[in-house]
Amino acid sequence: MENLPQLFASNQHYLLVVLVFILAGMVKGVIGLGLPTIAIGLLSLSMPAMEAAALLIVPSLLTNIWQLGRGPQLILLLRRLSPMLLGICAGTFLSALLFHKINAAWSGLGLGLALIAYATMGLASIHWNVPTRLETGLSSLTGTLTGMVTATTGVFVMPSVPFLQALNLDKDSLIQAMGLSFTVSTLALAVKLASAGSLDWHVAGSSLFALLPALLGMQLGQCLRKKLQPLLFKRCFFIGLFGLGAHYLWGASA
């Protein structure tokens, strides 16, 4: 993490961060998710995944707070999803204890597997329902696994997003629930990085800078949402994630 200020001294990396966060914000503006997944996936091509995760803290936190605040059922969702949200925190900190220092190759392998699993489920349109009697237990398990994946790869979506989709929430409540889940994941990851000494003022400043292109991308995405076919856009999104995940698996096995 000490080389991050030098990293930003390079104009090429500076431009990369701007373009990545514009793209990631645009995807989030169109479909309501994808900012951390896209940003971590692309930035990790040129820096360690945890450095990319540190850059993501401010843009992810503020855009997700904005997203969860726009829905109609925040209090009800907080009550219903509290087992999952507590599990995210527990899983993040448990992973930090179990895997104090993660080998870069293993982190790349985990990131590749998470991206491919998420992309495969999206392309296959896999959907199921969570029985009411099992929801609390599955919610806690899902949160714990999500926290562990977040702590090792920086990706928030697995398996939290498929679980939330299985709750049969209406569109607005689903987007709000994802914003709530991502906000808690971001905060838990920030605490984990700070406790490990991987989050300092230099990183915080760089992360704050990344907020601007992320917000610009979200505005572009919201404008494009009315002109694009959502199904086609999602298919291209998941195909891209699958290819990115395959790239990480190839690099980890090399």
Side-chain angles (χ1 to χ4, degrees), residues 7 17 54 122 131 137 161 165 179 211 224 238:
L7 187 67
V17 170
V161 170
Q165 291 172 334
L211 174 64
L224 287 173
F238 287 124

Side-chain angles (χ1 to χ4, degrees), residues 2-163:
E2 290 80 7
N3 66 338
L4 197 57
Q6 288 81 5
L7 187 67
F8 266 86
S10 165
N11 290 332
Q12 291 181 344
H13 284 287
Y14 181 87
L15 181 60
L16 171 67
V17 170
V18 171
L19 293 177
V20 165
F21 275 96
I22 288 176
L23 176 61
M26 187 173 67
V27 172
K28 184 177 180 66
V30 174
I31 63 176
L33 71 160
L35 190 150
T37 311
I38 290 288
I40 292 289
L42 292 179
L43 289 175
S44 296
L45 293 173
S46 61
M47 65 180 72
M50 287 301 103
E51 287 190 6
L55 279 177
L56 187 68
I57 295 298
V58 173
S60 178
L61 181 61
L62 294 184
T63 55
N64 284 314
I65 288 175
W66 174 84
Q67 181 173 325
L68 72 88
R70 290 174 63 87
Q73 302 188 52
L74 179 58
I75 301 301
L76 290 176
L77 287 173
L78 274 170
R79 292 173 180 169
R80 184 175 182 180
L81 300 178
S82 57
M84 186 184 81
L85 302 177
L86 292 173
I88 289 172
C89 297
T92 302
F93 303 137
L94 176 63
S95 182
L97 292 174
L98 293 177
F99 310 107
H100 181 64
K101 196 151 190 168
I102 302 171
N103 184 281
W106 283 104
S107 181
L109 177 64
L111 180 57
L113 289 173
L115 292 176
I116 286 178
Y118 182 46
T120 300
M121 294 184 71
L123 289 169
S125 298
I126 296 174
H127 182 78
W128 58 81
N129 298 320
V130 174
T132 303
R133 68 182 187 281
L134 300 178
E135 182 175 327
T136 300
L138 288 176
S139 182
S140 297
L141 177 61
T142 298
T144 301
L145 293 176
T146 299
M148 297 184 75
V149 172
T150 297
T152 53
T153 68
V155 174
F156 308 152
V157 295
M158 289 296 293
S160 60
V161 170
F163 174 78

